[in-house]
Every structure is written in structure tokens, then in C-alpha cells.
């Protein structure tokens, strides 16, 4: 009875938390269809704010820039972070491994304002012009620790005996890396990529410091427009971004499910093959 009561309270608390998180988003989306042009009273349904978004060529260009930055930074961070996670995993010295993990975690918990200001100072000292390149490099920098944390658990879950067996059978280092190591940690790599991509899409603080004249991302643009007053075009754009993020999460979920089902089928096939071999030997 006590356990049932605790479960009910836990469920109620969970519903409350999700309500607090999602109600403002749904409120924003609801008023993106308001013909009245304000967020005070809903006077009628309209698509005009969404139409205004697609007719705003400057805004479309900013959206494309944002996605390009997110894609390039996520791909680069995934490659670098995966190599970094593998290096940390195979580091023999425990003190060195702990030091590398601590340095990685410090970047994860550091405030975005500190990271953005530090990168701005670095680019200024190096005489690096602020713009597209500085934003991409900054997004790569804060995405790498995320990828490392996503990939490392998959490395610890991996069965090292498979690598030893492949080496005993004459597999080269390249074959072990491409055919055993990478497939074993692919779920972690995909998780790291999607996390880096979404972090880049919605980053504001770091981008605000390192972006230059003539280049901006969606988060910075929404902030600058919101300061000039409430515009339901921002609501419509935010609703579209929320929908895209939702589709991204669903896509990642189905990719994960496909990977799990594929591995389960492979294990089942191996089990059947081993069973048939034992039957033949008995016969």
C-alpha cells in the first residue's frame, strides 16, 4: 500500500515537472496562430505568421547558417570526441586517465559565459576575425566533451575479448578499428552527434560572444528581435524549431531501436549457429 502511494506521488510530481516545462512551449505555439498579433487574447486562427517566416529571406539565410554551423561542428566534434574517448579508454596510467576525465568534465560544468568570453579573448589575441569560422570552432570546442561522455560508456560496455580474438586471427589494426571497435560503440557515437547537433542549434551565450558583424545564428537573432518587442513571427519560428527538434529526437529513437533489433537478430543467429554445430558434433 505504501509503495503504491509513493508511486502515485512520484507520478504526480513527474506530471507537474513536465507541465512546468512544456506548458510555456505550448502557450508560445498556440499564440503563433493568433490573428490578433499579440499574446494577450486569441482573436482568430491564421497562418500569416508562418507565411511571414518563409517570406523573410534574411531569416531563412540565418536558419541555413545555423544548421550549417550545427552540422559542421557536430561532425567535427564527433570525430575528435570519439578519438579522444578511445584514447582515454586505452590510457594505461590511472592518474593520466583521471586527469583527462577531470579536464573534460570541467568544460562540461563551466558556465557558457566563461567559455564564450575565454574564446573571444583567444580569438582576439590570435587576430582571428569573428564570424562563421569563429562560431564553428567555438561550437566544436564545447561539443567535444559531450561526445566524449557519450562514447566512453559504450567503450566500457564493449567486450574486449572480441578485439583480442580478432588480433589472434590475424586482423590488422585498421580492420579491428573499423570492423569491431567502431561498430561496438556506434550507438554512443550517434548519441554524441545528436547531442552536439542540438547543443549547437540552441546555443546563445557562447555564440553571442564570438559572432561578428554580418553573421549571426538563430538564437542570437531571436534574442535581438525579442528585445525590440513581441512578434508572433518569433513564435512561429520557435514552433517550427520545436517541431524539427521533436522529429530529430524521434529519428534518433528509431535509429536506436533499429540498432538494438539488428544486434538482437545477430545474437540470435549466432546462437542458432552454435546450437546447430553442437547438434552435428553430438550426431
Amino acid at each position: 500500500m505504501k509503495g503504491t502511494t509513493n508511486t502515485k506521488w512520484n507520478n504526480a510530481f513527474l506530471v507537474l515537472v513536465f507541465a512546468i516545462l512544456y506548458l510555456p512551449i505550448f502557450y508560445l505555439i498556440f499564440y503563433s496562430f493568433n490573428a490578433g498579433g499579440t499574446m494577450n487574447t486569441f482573436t482568430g486562427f491564421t497562418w500569416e505568421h508562418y507565411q511571414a517566416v518563409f517570406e523573410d529571406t534574411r531569416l531563412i539565410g540565418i536558419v541555413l547558417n545555423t544548421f550549417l554551423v550545427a552540422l559542421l561542428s557536430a561532425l567535427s566534434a564527433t570525430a575528435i570526441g570519439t578519438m579522444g574517448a578511445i584514447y582515454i579508454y586505452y590510457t594505461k596510467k590511472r592518474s593520466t586517465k583521471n586527469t583527462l576525465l577531470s579536464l573534460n568534465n570541467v568544460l562540461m560544468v563551466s558556465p557558457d559565459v566563461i567559455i564564450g568570453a575565454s574564446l573571444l579573448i583567444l580569438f582576439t589575441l590570435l587576430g582571428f576575425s569573428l564570424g562563421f569560422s569563429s562560431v564553428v570552432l567555438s561550437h566544436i570546442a564545447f561539443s567535444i566533451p559531450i561526445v566524449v561522455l557519450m562514447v566512453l560508456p559504450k567503450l566500457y560496455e564493449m567486450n574486449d575479448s572480441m578485439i583480442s580474438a580478432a588480433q589472434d586471427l590475424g586482423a590488422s589494426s585498421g580492420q579491428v578499428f573499423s570492423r569491431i571497435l567502431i561498430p561496438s560503440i556506434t550507438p554512443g557515437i550517434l548519441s554524441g552527434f545528436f547531442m552536439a547537433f542540438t547543443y549547437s542549434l540552441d546555443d546563445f551565450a557562447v555564440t553571442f560572444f564570438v559572432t561578428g558583424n554580418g553573421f549571426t545564428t538563430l538564437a542570437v537573432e531571436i534574442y535581438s528581435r525579442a528585445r525590440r518587442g513581441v512578434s508572433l513571427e518569433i513564435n512561429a519560428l520557435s514552433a517550427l524549431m520545436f517541431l524539427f527538434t521533436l522529429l530529430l529526437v524521434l529519428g534518433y529513437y528509431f535509429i536506436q531501436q533499429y540498432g538494438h533489433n539488428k544486434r538482437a537478430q545477430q545474437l540470435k543467429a549466432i546462437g542458432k549457429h552454435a546450437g546447430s554445430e553442437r547438434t552435428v558434433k553430438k550426431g
Side-chain angles (χ1 to χ4, degrees):
M1 186 70 181
K2 187 177 179 181
T4 305
T5 304
N6 289 337
T7 302
K8 288 181 179 178
W9 278 109
N10 291 338
N11 292 337
F13 177 74
L14 190 62
V15 169
L16 177 64
V17 169
F18 277 111
I20 293 172
L21 291 173
Y22 280 94
L23 280 177
I25 297 174
F26 292 140
Y27 178 80
L28 180 146
I29 294 172
F30 175 73
Y31 274 97
S32 69
F33 300 103
N34 185 19
T38 66
M39 294 181 67
N40 297 325
T41 55
F42 192 87
T43 58
F45 182 88
T46 182
W47 290 100
E48 65 180 14
H49 306 299
Y50 289 88
Q51 185 179 353
V53 169
F54 289 106
E55 289 176 352
D56 191 337
T57 54
R58 180 178 179 275
L59 188 59
I60 295 300
I62 292 171
V63 171
L64 293 176
N65 285 338
T66 304
F67 278 104
L68 182 59
V69 168
L71 182 62
L72 291 176
S73 62
L75 288 172
S76 302
T78 301
I80 298 170
T82 300
M83 294 300 105
I86 293 172
Y87 178 79
I88 292 172
Y89 177 73
Y90 283 107
T91 298
K92 302 291 185 183
K93 200 172 181 182
R94 189 174 184 83
S95 59
T96 304
K97 180 181 289 190
N98 290 335
T99 301
L100 291 172
L101 285 172
S102 299
L103 291 172
N104 186 78
N105 294 336
V106 165
L107 291 175
M108 283 291 299
V109 300
S110 295
D112 289 344
V113 174
I114 301 300
I115 295 175
S118 302
L119 290 170
L120 175 60
I121 294 170
L122 176 64
F123 290 139
T124 304
L125 290 174
L126 295 176
F128 198 85
S129 59
L130 300 180
F132 175 79
S133 300
S134 63
V135 173
V136 171
L137 290 173
S138 300
H139 284 214
I140 291 172
F142 69 67
S143 297
I144 288 174
I146 300 169
V147 177
V148 171
L149 290 181
M150 293 292 106
V151 175
L152 266 177
K154 297 300 177 184
L155 284 166
Y156 285 109
E157 290 175 8
M158 182 181 63
N159 188 356
D160 288 330
S161 61
M162 293 190 301
I163 295 177
S164 301
Q167 291 172 338
D168 292 340
L169 292 171
S172 63
S173 299
Q175 289 174 327
V176 170
F177 180 79
S178 61
R179 297 184 182 182
I180 297 176
L181 183 60
I182 293 299
S184 299
I185 62 175
T186 295
I189 295 173
L190 289 175
S191 299
F193 172 80
F194 280 106
M195 287 292 290
F197 188 82
T198 52
Y199 265 70
S200 177
L201 277 182
D202 64 10
D203 178 73
F204 168 76
V206 176
T207 307
F208 184 78
F209 278 94
V210 299
T211 190
N213 293 329
F215 181 83
T216 187
T217 61
L218 196 55
V220 177
E221 179 66 14
I222 290 175
Y223 170 75
S224 62
R225 291 194 180 200
R227 290 184 64 188
R228 296 197 293 266
V230 176
S231 170
L232 296 190
E233 187 179 341
I234 296 175
N235 289 40
L237 180 60
S238 301
L240 291 172
M241 291 301 297
F242 176 75
L243 178 62
F244 174 79
T245 305
L246 185 63
L247 292 174
L248 196 67
V249 171
L250 289 174
Y252 172 61
Y253 170 77
F254 285 118
I255 289 172
Q256 271 197 325
Q257 288 298 111
Y258 174 78
H260 288 317
N261 293 337
K262 190 175 180 181
R263 283 194 295 274
Q265 289 175 357
Q266 288 174 344
L267 290 173
K268 189 176 180 180
I270 291 171
K272 286 183 178 179
H273 181 69
S276 62
E277 283 187 347
R278 284 195 295 268
T279 303
V280 170
K281 287 179 180 179
K282 288 180 181 179

